[in-house]
């Protein structure tokens, strides 16, 4: 059994200019990424009959929502048979999994999936009001956190990290090795935001944000958009690239959608998503050639490493000590592009993009040396997460 | 904007009113299922354990233990000068029910998992925020 009977494949990818405060709108960036993805696939906009995005037109400040599906439809005059966006989904790739299901069931043939952010520019122009007090009262998901000064995901995730460290002895130095690995890879990625090498002293000496998380445990807001084309398998022949199969996907949520009520505080929704993913494939963690794992905060990556079965629960500290294992030339390279901590917060889609880049061997200086056929992608964490296994064919 | 103290106060809803105002009577009011007697937080209109709709606020003990914590070092709000401690406090009434809260009247460096704490209300305008402090004997 494979995800949607193997009827959905990835045929093209595209990314806009990426940077800090580049002064472009989120729509502009989304359109650029979309053009590149359509061209990369060898399609035209007349072929695109579906659009999917995260999170859609939700009320958000600070450049979090760069463009909606309607923005992109309108700009390119798309005639679509199917479109979707939403924030109540499984990690940032939830609607992309829906797109795969839509093409598998015949509702669309080529779906343009995208995520656009312009947080760096928006925040520089003073639009990051969410934390600084434009809201009259904390409501919705913030009601039970903001009144206690728990303003940032760094606070919510810091508590998870603290409990895990307490239970299993994971150290800041061990997490730092993962962060430094990402920075080393980012040095080979011309599109990364931070490319200078980082030492353990740099990491440990950076100011604390919310202990145990310091500055370099938190990703970097940027401007940029990513687009992915999901196509029906029969429609993928004769295009530019050999299709990438979505071998398996996981989108499960086994507990309440909260940051503090999970029965076991040393796990996250990543574990639910990964468990359900492995149930749908004959592949095992040992078959994975490399992984791109969400690092909106460094600790989230440690959760994906465990959740996806690359080490036993409770043992991620020992895993991280074996740095050679997850370097670019290692047995399981992690985040060849540098992750969001160094390459910029493209908010989930960047990890999927990088998995495709590597599988198509378009990584340039950062291309993984060994032949890679199977990629694991883990996106999100905390109360919601989604993951997938991609398989290169041919 | 936050109130005069600089606190970001909560939007009180029908479900959360008792939680946010019980402190004016020195009561920590947490949703509870009248069918299976399980506690529920944040408040929601049914019991996730047994699916009963017969749920509503009851008075909890107001004591608990630190399940996890973080020391915040970044200035987010004027009323919360860093460093300050945010904790997930598990209720003695039912340890798998937790409140995200502020630890007060404590040494930031002395906080640890399992530390016994008790509620203390920070009254601001129309709400009483349930903060927690170490139990001193
Ligand atoms: Zn019940």
């Amino acid at each position: 059994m494979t995800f949607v009977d193997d009827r959905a494949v990835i045929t093209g990818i595209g990314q806009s200019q990426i940077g800090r405060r580049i002064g472009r709108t989120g729509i502009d960036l989304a359109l650029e990424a979309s053009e590149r993805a359509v061209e990369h696939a060898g399609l035209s906009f007349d072929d695109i009959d579906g659009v999917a995005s995260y999170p859609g037109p939700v009320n958000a400040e600070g450049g979090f929502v760069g463009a909606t599906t309607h923005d992109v439809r309108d700009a390119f005059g798309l005639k679509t048979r199917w479109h979707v966006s939403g924030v109540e989904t499984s990690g940032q790739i939830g609607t992309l999994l829906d797109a795969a299901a839509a093409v598998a069931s015949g509702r669309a043939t080529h779906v343009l999936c995208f995520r656009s952010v312009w947080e760096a520019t928006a925040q520089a122009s003073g639009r990051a009001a969410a934390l600084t007090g434009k809201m009259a009262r904390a409501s919705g998901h913030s009601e039970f956190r903001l009144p206690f000064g728990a303003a940032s995901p760094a606070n919510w995730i810091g508590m998870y990290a603290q409990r895990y460290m307490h239970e299993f002895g994971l150290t800041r130095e061990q997490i730092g090795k993962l962060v430094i690995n990402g920075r080393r890879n980012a040095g080979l990625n011309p599109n990364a935001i931070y490319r200078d090498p980082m030492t353990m002293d740099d990491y440990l000496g950076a100011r604390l944000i919310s202990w145990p998380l310091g500055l370099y445990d938190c990703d970097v807001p940027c401007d940029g958009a990513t687009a992915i084309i999901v196509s029906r398998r029969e429609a993928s022949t004769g295009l530019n690239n050999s299709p990438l199969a979505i071998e398996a996907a996981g989108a499960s949520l086994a507990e309440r959608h909260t940051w503090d009520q999970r029965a076991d505080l040393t796990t996250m929704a990543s574990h639910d998503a990964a468990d359900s993913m492995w149930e749908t494939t004959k592949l095992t963690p040992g078959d994975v050639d490399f992984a791109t794992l969400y690092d909106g905060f460094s600790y989230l990556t440690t959760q994906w490493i465990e959740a996806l079965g690359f080490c036993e629960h409770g043992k991620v500290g020992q895993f991280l000590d074996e740095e050679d294992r997850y370097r670019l030339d290692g047995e399981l390279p992690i985040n060849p592009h540098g992750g969001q901590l160094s390459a910029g917060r493209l908010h989930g889609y960047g990890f999927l993009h990088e998995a495709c880049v590597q599988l198509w061997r378009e990584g340039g200086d950062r291309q993984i040396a060994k032949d890679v056929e199977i990629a694991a992608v883990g996106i999100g964490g905390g109360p919601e997460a989604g993951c997938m296994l991609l398989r290169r064919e041919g | 904007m936050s109130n005069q103290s600089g606190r970001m106060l909560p939007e009180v809803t029908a479900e959360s009113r008792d939680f946010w105002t019980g402190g004016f009577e020195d009561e920590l009011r947490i949703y509870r299922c009248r069918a299976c007697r399980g506690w529920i937080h944040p408040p929601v209109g049914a019991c996730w354990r047994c699916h009963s709709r017969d749920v509503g606020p009851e008075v909890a003990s107001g004591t608990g233990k630190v399940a996890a914590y973080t020391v915040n070092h970044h200035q987010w709000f004027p009323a919360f000068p860093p460093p300050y401690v945010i904790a997930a406090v598990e209720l003695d009434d039912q340890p798998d029910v937790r409140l995200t809260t502020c630890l007060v009247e404590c040494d930031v460096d002395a906080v640890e998992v399992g530390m016994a704490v008790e509620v203390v209300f920070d009254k601001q305008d129309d709400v009483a925020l349930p903060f927690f402090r170490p139990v001193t004997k």
Side-chain angles (χ1 to χ4, degrees), chain B residues 43-110:
Chain B
V44 63
C47 172
W48 60 266
R49 294 182 182 85
C50 78
H51 310 148
S52 168
R53 294 287 306 276
D54 190 10
V55 295
E58 292 192 18
V59 179
S61 65
T63 61
K65 292 181 181 57
V66 172
Y69 66 91
T70 182
V71 183
N72 181 77
H73 291 267
H74 187 84
Q75 177 90 54
W76 305 102
F77 301 108
F80 289 93
Y84 60 95
V85 185
I86 302 160
V89 166
E90 58 183 46
L91 302 181
D92 284 345
D93 311 84
Q94 185 157 356
D96 66 354
V97 177
R98 309 186 191 97
L99 310 185
T100 289
T101 183
C102 239
L103 287 196
V104 294
E105 301 174 40
C106 70
D107 175 359
V108 165
D109 297 321

Side-chain angles (χ1 to χ4, degrees), chain A residues 332-367:
Chain A
L332 183 73
I334 293 178
N335 291 347
H337 61 315
Q340 295 189 174
L341 297 174
S342 291
R345 185 195 296 155
L346 296 171
H347 209 232
Y349 269 57
F351 298 92
L352 180 54
H353 181 272
E354 180 65 10
C356 297
V357 164
Q358 293 287 340
L359 290 172
W360 276 321
R361 307 199 65 78
E362 295 173 1
D365 290 345
R366 69 178 189 278
Q367 180 64 44

Side-chain angles (χ1 to χ4, degrees), chain A residues 94-115:
Chain A
T95 53
L96 185 137
L97 299 181
D98 294 344
V103 299
S105 63
R107 295 184 69 193
T109 304
H110 298 288
V111 181
L112 170 63
C113 309
F114 72 90
R115 173 88 182 101

